[in-house]
Amino acid sequence: MATLLGAINASASALDAQRARMEVAVSNMANAESTRGANGEPYRRRDVVFESTSGDPFGQAMGAASSGNADGVRVAAVIEDQTPFKKRYGPCHTDADAEGFVLVPNVDVPEEMVNLLSAARGYQAKLTAIGLIRETVQKARELAE
C-alpha cells in the first residue's frame, strides 16, 4: 500500500509540474507580440525547469525506483530564455529603431503549441495513472472482503 501511495504522490506532483508548464506556454503565446515590457524590452520567452523531489536528480531517483518508492517532480525554477530577440522590419511601429527594425520576443508560437500539447498529454497520462491506481486499490479491497 505504501508503494501505491508513493505512486499517487509522484503522479500528483507531476500534475502540478505539467500544469505549471502549460501556464508558462500559454503566457509565452499570449506575449508573442509584446514588443515592450516594464523593463522597456520585448517579452522574453520563459521555460520551466523540473527537479526530482528527492534532491538528487539521478542517483536517488534510480535507487528509489529500484526499491519501489516513487519520487515526484517539482518546478525548480521558471527561467528566461536568453536567445536573442528577433528583428522585424516595421518602420511605422512605435518601437522601431532608426533603421526601421523592431525587436520582437524570442517566442516561436508553433514550438509553444508543441510544448502545450506535450504538457497536456503528460497531465492526461498522470490522471490516467492515478485512476488506475485507484481502481487497483478498490479491487484489492473487494478481494479482501
Side-chain angles (χ1 to χ4, degrees):
M1 210 49 125
T3 56
L4 290 176
L5 184 59
I8 288 174
N9 288 337
S11 292
S13 70
L15 286 174
D16 288 339
Q18 294 297 352
R19 179 193 44 79
R21 190 171 160 216
M22 285 187 278
E23 288 174 355
V24 168
V26 167
S27 175
N28 287 340
M29 287 188 293
N31 289 290
E33 295 295 322
S34 299
T35 58
R36 189 182 320 167
N39 62 359
E41 290 186 340
Y43 175 84
R44 194 170 281 282
R45 179 185 178 277
R46 289 169 174 73
D47 207 0
V48 178
V49 177
F50 296 145
E51 71 179 3
S52 170
T53 56
S54 69
D56 180 7
F58 187 73
Q60 288 181 356
M62 291 305 292
S66 64
S67 69
N69 295 327
D71 279 344
V73 65
R74 67 175 165 244
V75 175
V78 177
I79 59 171
E80 289 186 343
D81 185 349
Q82 296 301 314
T83 57
F85 295 119
K86 300 173 185 176
K87 279 187 170 185
R88 183 184 305 154
Y89 186 70
C92 297
H93 196 283
T94 56
D95 293 326
D97 62 13
E99 298 172 355
F101 287 97
V102 179
L103 290 178
V104 294
N106 57 350
V107 175
D108 182 26
V109 175
E111 179 182 345
E112 295 304 323
M113 282 299 299
V114 170
N115 286 338
L116 182 60
L117 287 171
S118 173
R121 295 265 169 88
Y123 192 92
Q124 183 180 21
K126 293 306 173 191
L127 282 177
T128 301
I130 290 172
L132 290 172
I133 294 166
R134 188 172 159 219
E135 287 177 23
T136 302
V137 170
Q138 286 175 345
K139 293 288 184 187
R141 280 186 169 168
E142 290 173 10
L143 291 173
E145 292 176 352

